[in-house]
Amino acid sequence: MKGLRGVIGRVRGWRRGWHERSKLQRIDLYTRATLCSLVWLFLLTWGFLPLGTALDRGAWAVAIGAALFAVNVAQSVLSTVNVRPAFDHYRGAEPFPRRRLRLPAVLLVALSGLLIALVAVDGLDDQALPVLAMDVPVAFAIPYALLVPARRFLLHAAAYIAALVALLAAFGRAGTPLLGTALTMALAAVLVLGSVRPSGWSLSVMWQAEEARDMQARLAVAEERLRFGRDMHDVLGRNLSVIALKSELAVELAQRGNPAAVDQMVEVQRIARASQQEVRDVVRGYREADLPTELMGARGVLQAAGISVTVEGADGPAGIGAPAAVQAALGWVVRETATNVLRHGDPRHCSIRLARTRDAVVLEVENDGAGTADPLDGGGDSGGGGGSGLAGLRERLGALGGTLTAAPAGDDLFRVTATVPLTASGPAPGVPTTPAGPTAPGEHPAPGGNTAAGGNTNPGGSTTPGGTTTPGGTTTPSESTTPGGTTAPSGSTAPASAGRAAPSAPSPAPSDLPEEQR
């Protein structure tokens, strides 16, 4: 019973290993295994059955026939071992060590000598000789056909056939059996060349296509990095240059005791905060997931991988009335599940269903070919464990009050279901959030601004007592502005130390911001 369980475990391990391979790796393994099995098929038919005629032709014939079969088995083992490196040599992945051909060549010579000796003692009849002679070079020829050009292989095969036929003629064979031997050996050479070379060529082309796709993916990543770098340069280049110039000017003014140096530093602070917001906008746009875009991308990627895709209920976020925060969260789910469908199992079909209930939006992604593997890194629906992709999705949906389940659905299916309530609250795209601070009596804070006592502030401005600043730092008619952006009451210009705006509260560090704001 224990032994049976061990066998079942090994079979399951082989099946799991097969499903974990990519399609190209499966084709590669199948092709190599097929060629290796041909060697043993020919050995048990062409190489073994003709030896039955030697059983009633004396002890020498039996001994020579047994030795020939044993050497043929050894040659077949070496051929099986050499097929893989021969394929790698053919497609240019790794050179084949020529020293590995020495022993097979010696065994080929030994097989040829034993065949001639068997003929010399009259151990084979006229019908068995052509069949056995056809099998003798096959085990050596299969890997050798991948190591040399086709023309050289045919020339070497012709020379070997001519030499063997001449030796057989010298030991008394002639006429039709000898001609049949030459023809069957020539047929075997053409058969080996016609089966091995096209297989090697097909594998080489497929591996080159796979490497080209990998290179294309790496180039796409590099291009995206360059694009992001250009965006960051366009956003920060000018502002950093202005900050550097104004800082130098402030240093010069401060060394001369000019109070305008403070005004320049206030302007530097304003430009720095504006740059910080622009960087956040760039990063936010770089990282946000858009649901319609992700649905189109998932369909294209899966179909390119040979997986049929159906998308239901994808009339767009407006059609299902989903807020922007819900759309972004579901876009991440589509992106992650599509990626994992490609990475796990052997899917043939994937369906994506988007529906709206009375108070929530439900997204279902279902694929076949999952087997026992978890397409989301084994996350499952229970609490513990799970991959980082599944944990990240649950965190994103949890922040909106949503849920995520991932579990087998029967019949080799796996289903991921994401549910997000329509009342999910989240920061709107492009609008940063800052921690709320206490407001003194009489103050009326506005979004993005900082308020001094008794003043009203709009986005982008700061005020002195009694003054109101509009966006961009302009003032109402009752105030005048100093060069540094400060105001004084009644239209007069105040000194930098008396009429300056109250400093704004420092912006929160990126680590204090929500994920969507970084």
Side-chain angles (χ1 to χ4, degrees):
M1 191 66 179
K2 186 175 182 181
L4 179 60
R5 290 179 180 176
V7 172
I8 295 175
R10 284 193 295 270
V11 171
R12 288 178 177 174
W14 294 337
R15 183 176 181 273
R16 189 181 304 111
W18 173 260
H19 285 290
E20 289 175 354
R21 294 176 181 267
S22 66
K23 294 181 179 179
L24 180 56
Q25 289 174 336
R26 295 179 190 178
I27 295 174
D28 186 290
L29 178 60
Y30 172 78
T31 303
R32 299 173 195 263
T34 300
L35 292 180
C36 292
S37 63
L38 285 178
V39 174
W40 295 98
L41 177 64
F42 294 154
L43 172 65
L44 297 177
T45 54
W46 299 350
F48 178 72
L49 296 179
L51 293 176
T53 60
L55 296 177
D56 55 353
R57 296 184 180 238
W60 278 105
V62 173
I64 295 173
L68 190 150
F69 183 75
V71 175
N72 206 354
V73 170
Q75 183 76 294
S76 300
V77 172
L78 290 178
S79 177
T80 303
V81 173
N82 287 333
V83 163
R84 182 182 183 86
F87 265 112
D88 293 339
H89 175 87
Y90 182 82
R91 67 185 186 90
E94 186 177 353
F96 185 87
R98 292 294 175 175
R99 65 180 183 275
R100 299 184 66 167
L101 283 178
R102 296 173 185 171
L103 183 56
V106 171
L107 293 180
L108 178 61
V109 173
L111 281 172
S112 303
L114 290 171
L115 177 62
I116 295 172
L118 191 61
V119 171
V121 298
D122 196 23
L124 292 174
D125 57 21
D126 293 342
Q127 290 79 22
L129 175 60
V131 178
L132 183 59
M134 183 168 55
D135 177 68
V136 166
V138 166
F140 176 85
I142 285 180
Y144 190 69
L146 295 169
L147 301 177
V148 297
R151 180 177 298 179
R152 184 184 302 179
F153 176 84
L154 291 176
L155 290 175
H156 290 177
Y160 172 78
I161 293 171
L164 185 62
V165 169
L167 289 172
L168 290 174
F171 281 89
R173 292 289 177 168
T176 302
L178 194 61
L179 179 61
T181 300
L183 291 178
T184 54
M185 293 183 69
L187 177 62
V190 173
L191 177 63
V192 168
L193 187 66
S195 59
V196 173
R197 297 287 292 195
S199 299
W201 177 80
S202 300
L203 282 181
S204 178
V205 170
M206 287 188 291
W207 277 112
Q208 288 176 3
E210 182 72 13
E211 292 169 358
R213 283 193 291 268
D214 292 341
M215 180 61 68
Q216 185 178 9
R218 288 194 292 269
L219 290 176
V221 172
E223 183 178 357
E224 184 64 15
R225 289 174 178 171
L226 290 176
R227 184 197 69 79
F228 186 69
R230 288 194 300 268
D231 290 347
M232 295 298 293
H233 177 270
D234 294 342
V235 168
L236 293 179
R238 173 185 172 278
N239 288 353
L240 291 178
S241 299
V242 174
I243 288 174
L245 291 174
K246 286 190 172 291
S247 299
E248 293 175 2
L249 178 60
V251 170
E252 293 291 335
L253 294 175
Q255 289 176 347
R256 299 175 184 177
N258 193 329
V262 180
D263 300 330
Q264 296 298 325
M265 291 310 298
V266 170
E267 183 68 11
V268 166
Q269 183 187 43
R270 185 191 65 81
I271 297 174
R273 287 178 176 169
S275 301
Q276 185 183 36
Q277 183 58 48
E278 290 175 355
V279 170
R280 289 172 180 168
D281 292 340
V282 170
V283 174
R284 183 182 300 110
Y286 182 77
R287 296 180 60 189
E288 278 183 351
D290 179 68
L291 180 57
T293 303
E294 295 300 332
L295 288 172
M296 293 176 59
R299 183 200 294 267
V301 169
L302 294 176
Q303 288 179 345
I307 303 172
S308 62
V309 182
T310 58
V311 180
E312 302 175 6
D315 298 330
I320 60 174
V326 175
Q327 169 186 312
L330 295 179
W332 279 107
V333 175
V334 173
R335 178 185 300 183
E336 183 70 19
T337 52
T339 301
N340 284 284
V341 166
L342 293 174
R343 289 173 53 197
H344 301 277
D346 186 20
R348 294 292 182 269
H349 178 75
C350 178
S351 62
I352 303 174
R353 293 183 290 271
L354 191 63
R356 175 182 174 178
T357 62
R358 186 172 58 86
D359 55 356
V361 177
V362 180
L363 172 69
E364 286 187 358
V365 181
E366 184 178 275
N367 65 279
D368 60 0
T372 58
D374 188 338
L376 282 172
D377 299 333
D381 189 29
S382 57
S388 58
L390 180 58
L393 290 178
R394 281 181 171 151
E395 289 177 2
R396 288 181 181 276
L397 297 182
L400 300 175
T403 59
L404 180 74
T405 59
D411 295 333
D412 207 25
L413 298 176
F414 197 91
R415 181 182 301 146
V416 177
T417 304
T419 304
V420 183
L422 291 172
T423 57
S425 60
V431 181
T433 59
T434 56
T439 305
E443 296 177 351
H444 305 279
N450 300 294
T451 306
N456 301 321
T457 305
N458 288 320
S462 58
T463 66
T464 56
T468 303
T469 305
T470 60
T474 60
T475 60
T476 59
S478 63
E479 298 172 345
S480 61
T481 308
T482 63
T486 59
T487 60
S490 305
S492 60
T493 303
S497 59
R500 250 186 331 272
S504 300
S507 298
S511 60
D512 296 331
L513 291 169
E515 177 66 23
E516 291 80 8
Q517 300 299 328
R518 296 180 191 171

